[in-house]
Amino acid sequence: MPLKPKRLALAAGLLAVAAAGGAGMATASDGDAPVGAAFVPLDEVVVPIIGSNRVEGTLRVSMVIEAKDESEAAKVSDRLPELRSATLAAAVEYSRLYASALAPVDAERLRGDMTAALKQANPAVGRVLVTEVSAFPV
């Protein structure tokens, strides 16, 4: 079964990153995560991409919240419904302003927007790590 052009472009981009040694990708050896950091996964967020007063596509995002330690992670976990609400609001806003079903998603900007929104909702949030993101036309 042949790949659709969007998926083919995504596969080619992933191969290019892998060939470059994952340049620009954070790994455990980068030293960015504090020692003893704890991670809290969030449910996948799916929001519409709207342009010209119609739904043009779908933005899907999977994320993990990084907390500085287990006690901060527990504080984050206790307020997941509130964080889910903030995540949805930030994803809709990002989708409205920056997403396109026919262009790559700026994951760095998305990460920054999500981190700011979730830190405002709960100061125990260290940062948000985008683990998977995609935009597909309808």
Side-chain angles (χ1 to χ4, degrees):
M1 177 169 112
L3 290 175
K4 292 182 181 179
K6 183 82 171 171
R7 290 186 183 189
L8 183 59
L10 178 64
L14 290 174
L15 286 174
V17 169
M25 296 178 72
T27 63
S29 63
D30 287 344
D32 289 338
V35 176
F39 300 92
V40 179
L42 293 173
D43 290 337
E44 180 182 57
V45 174
V46 180
V47 295
I49 298 171
I50 299 176
S52 302
N53 295 325
R54 64 183 179 88
V55 176
E56 293 182 350
T58 303
L59 176 68
R60 292 178 174 270
V61 185
S62 295
M63 296 167 281
V64 175
I65 296 174
E66 179 185 67
K68 67 179 180 179
D69 57 32
E70 289 295 328
S71 67
E72 294 293 305
K75 291 177 187 176
V76 168
S77 294
D78 289 343
R79 295 181 64 190
L80 279 178
E82 181 181 350
L83 293 174
R84 174 75 175 169
S85 176
T87 300
L88 285 170
V92 167
E93 186 69 5
Y94 177 88
S95 174
R96 183 180 71 82
L97 295 173
Y98 308 112
S100 169
L102 302 174
V105 178
D106 184 352
E108 191 64 30
R109 171 175 258 158
L110 177 61
R111 181 198 61 78
D113 290 355
M114 288 295 177
T115 299
L118 295 184
K119 276 188 174 190
Q120 184 176 9
N122 185 345
V125 171
R127 65 181 173 166
V128 174
L129 306 172
V130 176
T131 57
E132 187 176 341
V133 63
S134 61
F136 293 102
V138 177

